[in-house]
Amino acid sequence: MGYVTSTLDPVSTDAARVLPPLQIGPITVDTPVVLAPMAGVTNRAFRTLCREAGASQGFDPGLYVAEMVTSRALVERNVESLRIVTFGDDETPRSAQVYGVDPATVGAAVAIIAGEDRADHVDLNFGCPVPKVTRRGGGSALPWKRQLFTDIVRAAVEAAEPHGVPVTVKMRKGIDDDHLTYLEAGRIAESLGVAAVALHARTAADYYSGTADWTAIARLKEAVRTVPVLGNGDIWSAEDALRMVRETGADGVVVGRGCQGRPWLFADLAAAFHGVTTRVRPDLREVADTVYRHGELMIDYYDGDEGKGMRDLRKHMAWYLKGYAAGGDARRALAMVSTLAELRERLDVLDLDLPYPGEDAEGPRGRAGSPKQPHLPYGWLDSRDLDAEFEAKLREAELSVSGG
Ligand SMILES: Cc1cc2nc3c(=O)[nH]c(=O)nc-3n(C[C@H](O)[C@H](O)[C@H](O)COP(=O)(O)O)c2cc1C
């Protein structure tokens, strides 16, 4: 869909690309911008909106990663997990993210994705800080166990390689400031043949608090020399993305919460990386049109199940309306919508001529909060090696449900 745009006071007048294309193994991504995998958010419906926005200025839209799928659920061919690894007809490259703690299960899951031609790229999740994941030694807790991390990355790369599918790693800085793992994990992953590494520049203990430590991205860029290093954390605007690249030397950016309720951010990002200062500034009518289209895409994603589609859409409402004077009643009604007809009615009563509210619609959104003591398996930090007891339990520690 087209969007109203305005042009910034020219930052630079010469339209020149900021970075070369991002090379992820055999995949060339002309605009070095990645939609971060977000469980419960980056399903096919939302990715479609983001991709359309990214392409709306005439540039390559970038790379859009699906929600994480757990390796065990995929191997068990759980229906909802298989749904996560579905893509739009014209979605290319198709990018999936796998989470797991057992090398054999991760290898088997990647073999399914790559061998059955379900995606073109597989990212591995070593960044998730949520207790249900770290308690089992997964996500951001895992790189602390050096050998286990090595075995998982190796299993994934070996399963994907015969099919020409590149594997990438997404991680945090470590567990906390006293247990940093990212430089070592980055080098290990590079030596095992991953196609890129991405760093969310926070520790598990930081959770989503404070601000991301972009200096860590610069350090990772110095440590990992042969594959692209992608920076992630607290990009809320195209200008933030350009600043991250300038300050860290990153080869590309990964954008998560900043696009929640603002898929058009990808139009700004694509433009910015091609040296163009045009930015999308939607009025409320365009926001409403986007929400409605999101609703239609959600229903399609759930195979025509209107109830499921609308329930999944509800969480996006507050993000979409951030900064617009939409009124409490209208917001509440939209957050309880259950049919597409209801969605239409409730959008139509908004004052659709409201213009873009400026910075009230921008800035931080989504998960935040204070630092948290990470939940870890008993004795996890005592050693960098896995104890025999936990090793035997690895398969059980695999989550059987995706998302979260
Ligand atoms: C709702 C939500 C779900 C997330 N799910 C995942 C996930 O499935 N896999 C993953 O690697 N990271 C996940 N993340 C982390 C993001 O990919 C990203 O690293 C993080 O939000 C920092 O980037 P940002 O500051 O641009 O949001 C999630 C974050 C949020 C807010």
Side-chain angles (χ1 to χ4, degrees):
M1 58 189 286
Y3 287 106
V4 167
T5 58
S6 69
T7 303
L8 296 183
D9 296 340
V11 179
S12 76
T13 43
D14 51 333
R17 60 179 310 146
V18 170
L19 283 178
L22 186 58
Q23 198 63 42
I24 309 273
I27 301 171
T28 303
V29 183
D30 188 58
T31 300
V33 172
V34 179
L35 165 65
M38 288 187 284
V41 178
T42 63
N43 63 16
R44 193 177 72 213
F46 187 64
R47 291 197 313 277
T48 300
L49 286 180
C50 292
R51 288 184 58 78
E52 285 174 355
S56 68
Q57 311 257 12
F59 302 111
D60 163 84
L63 180 70
Y64 297 76
V65 188
E67 309 169 79
M68 78 174 194
V69 63
T70 70
S71 50
R72 175 166 159 200
L74 200 59
V75 169
E76 290 174 351
R77 297 193 184 259
N78 169 285
V79 174
E80 287 308 315
S81 298
L82 287 172
R83 189 196 305 282
I84 286 177
V85 197
T86 58
F87 298 89
D89 291 340
D90 58 352
E91 190 169 349
T92 174
R94 299 164 301 165
S95 175
Q97 193 196 45
V98 169
Y99 159 87
V101 294
D102 171 44
T105 315
V106 171
V110 173
I112 288 175
I113 294 176
E116 297 175 10
D117 190 26
R118 290 175 183 266
D120 306 306
H121 160 232
V122 175
D123 184 47
L124 298 176
N125 178 340
F126 296 108
C128 189
V130 307
K132 112 174 156 189
V133 161
T134 57
R135 222 180 12 235
R136 294 160 188 264
S140 53
L142 200 138
W144 179 252
K145 300 295 182 188
R146 202 184 278 128
Q147 191 59 48
L148 179 59
F149 174 79
T150 302
D151 292 345
I152 290 177
V153 175
R154 181 181 287 127
V157 169
E158 282 177 0
E161 214 159 40
H163 309 286
V165 170
V167 172
T168 58
V169 158
K170 180 165 175 287
M171 59 189 174
R172 286 198 176 217
K173 282 168 62 186
I175 291 178
D176 57 32
D177 288 342
D178 296 325
H179 302 87
L180 297 176
T181 49
Y182 69 105
L183 294 176
E184 177 194 69
R187 286 195 208 97
I188 292 174
E190 178 184 27
S191 74
L192 293 170
V194 306
V197 294
L199 179 67
H200 176 192
R202 283 187 172 84
T203 62
D206 291 335
Y207 214 70
Y208 286 90
S209 69
T211 45
D213 165 22
W214 289 1
T215 62
I217 299 167
R219 280 196 290 276
L220 183 63
K221 177 66 188 158
E222 281 164 18
V224 171
R225 314 293 284 203
T226 61
V227 295
V229 171
L230 307 176
N232 173 227
D234 298 349
I235 290 175
W236 309 108
S237 67
E239 285 56 51
D240 287 343
L242 296 179
R243 187 166 57 83
M244 178 190 275
V245 166
R246 248 191 341 263
E247 290 180 9
T248 67
D251 300 296
V253 296
V254 183
V255 179
R257 292 163 298 165
C259 69
Q260 287 175 336
R262 290 166 77 209
W264 47 85
L265 180 57
F266 287 96
D268 290 4
L269 288 161
F273 276 96
H274 287 86
V276 174
T277 54
T278 307
R279 301 289 180 263
V280 173
R281 299 292 180 249
D283 59 21
L284 192 51
R285 186 179 310 279
E286 287 175 298
V287 175
D289 288 348
T290 305
V291 174
Y292 189 76
R293 175 141 170 73
H294 197 167
E296 289 177 322
L297 290 165
M298 280 289 204
I299 294 169
D300 178 61
Y301 178 65
Y302 289 109
D303 301 324
D305 187 330
E306 213 172 335
K308 259 193 188 169
M310 291 300 106
R311 273 195 301 282
D312 199 351
L313 184 67
R314 292 174 185 174
K315 66 164 91 84
H316 296 264
M317 294 300 180
W319 297 325
Y320 273 120
L321 296 176
K322 184 176 184 295
Y324 293 85
D329 291 346
R331 283 169 193 275
R332 274 187 291 280
L334 281 165
M336 293 190 304
V337 72
S338 46
T339 65
L340 200 57
E342 232 172 57
L343 178 64
R344 179 80 284 161
E345 274 168 30
R346 293 176 189 192
L347 289 170
D348 284 347
V349 299
L350 297 173
D351 180 359
L352 296 174
D353 294 325
L354 280 176
Y356 185 68
E359 48 183 52
D360 288 348
E362 297 165 7
R365 53 191 53 229
R367 277 186 194 166
S370 38
K372 288 187 200 318
Q373 181 72 30
H375 294 239
L376 299 169
Y378 183 73
W380 192 251
L381 292 179
D382 296 349
S383 157
R384 297 293 312 264
D385 299 314
L386 211 53
D387 68 43
E389 197 186 334
F390 192 84
E391 195 156 5
K393 283 190 177 160
L394 272 180
R395 271 164 198 263
E396 289 166 42
E398 282 282 328
L399 284 176
S400 58
V401 181
S402 296

